[in-house]
Amino acid sequence: MAMARASSGLAYPERFYAAASYAGFDGSPNSSAKELTSKFSNDSALLLYALYQQATVGPCNVPKPSSWSPVEQSKWKSWQGLGNMATTEAMRLFVKILEEEDPGWYSRASNSVAEPIVDVEMNHDSKTEAVKENGNSFPETKTISTENGNMMETQDKDVVSEGLGSVVVYDQWIAPPISGQRPKARYEHGAAVVQDKMYIYGGNHNGRYLSDMHILDLRSWAWSKIQAKAVAESTESPSPALLTPCAGHSLIPWENKLLSIAGHTKDPSEIIQVKVFDLQTCSWSTLKTYGKPPVSRGGQSVTLVGTSLVIFGGEDAKRSLLNDLHILDLETMTWDEIDAVGVPPSPRSDHAAAVHAERYLLIFGGGSHAACFNDLHVLDLQTMEWSRPTQQGEIPTPRAGHAGVTIGENWFLVGGGDNKSGVSETVVLNMSTLVWSVVTSVQGRVPLASEGLSLVVSSYSGEDVIVAFGGYNGRYNNEVYVLKPSHKSTLSSKMIETPVPDSVSAVQNNTNPTRDLESELEVGQEGKIREIVVDNVDSEPLISKHPETTEHLIATLKAEKEELESSLSKEKLQSIQLKQDLTEAESQNTDLYKELQSVRGQLAAEQSRCFKLEVDVAELRQKLQTMETLQKELELLQRQKAASEQAALNAKRQSSGGMWGWLAGAPPTQNAYDA
């Protein structure tokens, strides 16, 4: 191994004076005119002159030049146009413009600038370009350019721009040597890793949605673009699926495919679309799902848990924030809407989600239309119950648009913002203890302090690495940064050495009490055993120096061991008793459940009987109404019969009177008139 010097960068105002010296200023207003005009364009030279005057002299109070000189007139006008700009702001703008015009100025100027020295361990066979300084040879620090060629402020201090194989450094962001054509700068894109290759799909650039796909080989650090094609969705529909540009979607690796779920589009659909990219054929198709899919949205979280995708929150096409929960079974391709118990997170989008122990879904941060959050919510995927445990440690500030990945039981979060500034810290949460800590921090307007960046996990030389890409922090980025975390080993040991906080019980709510007791017992016994081991380690020198104390220490250890064994026996007895109580409770629960089922059966039978009685009553009512109608018809017929009988009687009387008159010899007409 060889030791090389790494630049830690200069703070202001030293950085400004170094930039001014590099540009050709020596303190007098006219000394650098020739050098400026030879190095930079006229506009840039005038602006650099004005900013230098503003930073060193202050606002322009000199009278306008009376002589007819276009150069002097332009210089005075440029300086006068800065008004009352602050000195510090003028210094920063001077350095920024110099970096835009000459991105490598700091590396070339570092030969004559005194800098703090930091030893960085490097591989023996690493290749670096050496520069001479005071007779010693040191590797030259590389600079990192953005899409427009602008070097980030304080880049040398915050990001080491050496290859991963040449710098052995942990918990620090590194800019690897990238080759190939970089993708267009973007944010709110999708990223996923399959077989040491990072796939980038879609995103947003200047308000326009993208549909291109790029690959970054994480071994050679070379970019390449995929010419993706679309295939027919089914044999009945020969037309290929449209490659709709989108942003705010989620890209999930599944088997030998990539799933693109949801996302904002120019012409949004009513429901979530799931698109599939086949890595072998490089073709897109639309996945056919069953059940009731969620409404279309973007900014949601999609978490792969076993063979299911858990979708939470987001913002729909009408800009309404959501906090609903849906699960897509990737084996049956069926959607299921989950109505979880407990208090869910408030509606939000651009949050982060992770799964712990294949059981607990963690939701952190996100934002609404008015505020950003830093709350932590946990969903037990077995009981489907929300809880809000207590966070400990260095709790992150409110943020939205951040990205997260998990390595073991550690959840790393990078970037995000609060609508005012980007977040500079890279933080990690131990999901077992719910303790936050800061991994590293960057300064200035660097791409890592951006919203909408992507974060993936891969391996490099047998070690886990975190890869960040893109983002937006006032400008769109397409830079790649890598971090080798060291928390995978340190946090696990810290968890054993420190007492388990109360927040763990909040994460494991409504779980088996016997299992919780056993786990707490194991942690407690392990902690005591660790203390004994530490006592043994510390006591070894004492034993060697004072042999007479050996027997006393051994007796003490034996006594402690007997005490621990006694405590362990008591705890086991309590555990057995709890198991018996639990068995009895389960038996009672079974009996009550059977009784409940019996009551439910009786209730169903009574309900059926009541229904039959209601039907009989309805039929009787119908018959009663029919009988009333028949009664009325009978009365009418009886009246008609009586009238007919009366008429017949009258007719009979008339016929008998006429006969007697005829016998008496009276004329029929007269008899009729008399009658």
Side-chain angles (χ1 to χ4, degrees), residues 360-394:
Y360 302 103
L361 178 70
L362 284 72
I363 303 291
F364 176 80
S368 64
H369 297 312
C372 295
F373 310 115
N374 66 340
D375 50 352
L376 177 66
H377 298 262
V378 178
L379 174 67
D380 190 330
L381 294 173
Q382 289 187 5
T383 62
M384 288 301 171
E385 181 174 1
W386 286 105
S387 62
R388 186 173 176 180
T390 302
Q391 305 178 67
Q392 297 192 13
E394 303 175 74

Side-chain angles (χ1 to χ4, degrees), residues 29-78:
N30 300 320
S31 61
S32 59
K34 293 183 179 179
E35 294 185 26
L36 283 176
T37 53
S38 62
K39 287 184 178 180
F40 311 107
S41 63
N42 292 335
D43 293 339
S44 299
L46 287 173
L47 188 54
L48 287 173
Y49 165 81
L51 290 170
Y52 178 82
Q53 293 295 100
Q54 190 80 9
T56 56
V57 179
C60 180
N61 295 322
V62 299
K64 185 176 182 179
S66 57
S67 59
W68 179 251
S69 173
V71 176
E72 294 299 323
Q73 293 278 352
S74 299
K75 290 166 64 177
W76 181 88
K77 186 176 180 181
S78 180

Side-chain angles (χ1 to χ4, degrees), residues 12-13 15-17 19-20 23 25 40 43-55 78 81-102 105 150-151 153 445 475:
Y12 288 92
R15 193 178 183 87
F16 162 73
Y17 291 124
F25 289 95
F40 311 107
D43 293 339
S44 299
L46 287 173
L47 188 54
L48 287 173
Y49 165 81
L51 290 170
Y52 178 82
Q53 293 295 100
Q54 190 80 9
S78 180
L82 298 180
N84 295 322
M85 178 184 291
T87 300
T88 56
E89 183 66 19
M91 289 182 177
R92 292 186 180 276
L93 286 177
F94 184 95
V95 175
K96 182 178 179 181
I97 292 173
L98 178 61
E99 289 171 347
E100 291 177 351
E101 295 291 329
D102 190 354
W105 76 270
N150 306 331
M151 191 177 74
E153 297 180 10
R445 201 177 182 182
R475 56 173 166 256

Side-chain angles (χ1 to χ4, degrees), residues 146 184-186 447 450 469-473 475-479:
T146 63
K184 181 179 293 186
R186 67 193 66 201
S450 299
F469 171 78
Y472 177 79
N473 60 353
R475 56 173 166 256
Y476 298 90
N477 301 300
N478 62 349
E479 303 296 324

Side-chain angles (χ1 to χ4, degrees), residues 1 21 52 133 138 149 155 164 177 182 191 210 246 267 297 360 384 445 523 528 535 548 567 602 667:
M1 292 290 182
S21 176
Y52 178 82
E133 180 176 345
F138 298 110
Q155 187 70 62
L164 289 180
R182 297 173 181 261
L210 306 175
C246 61
D267 298 316
R297 65 192 67 195
Y360 302 103
M384 288 301 171
R445 201 177 182 182
V523 173
K528 293 181 180 179
D535 290 341
E548 65 275 5
S567 300
Q602 295 176 5

Side-chain angles (χ1 to χ4, degrees), residues 409-429:
E409 62 184 7
N410 301 318
W411 188 17
F412 294 84
L413 296 180
V414 180
D418 58 358
N419 296 325
K420 297 179 182 178
S421 60
V423 177
S424 59
E425 297 88 7
T426 298
V427 297
V428 60
L429 173 69

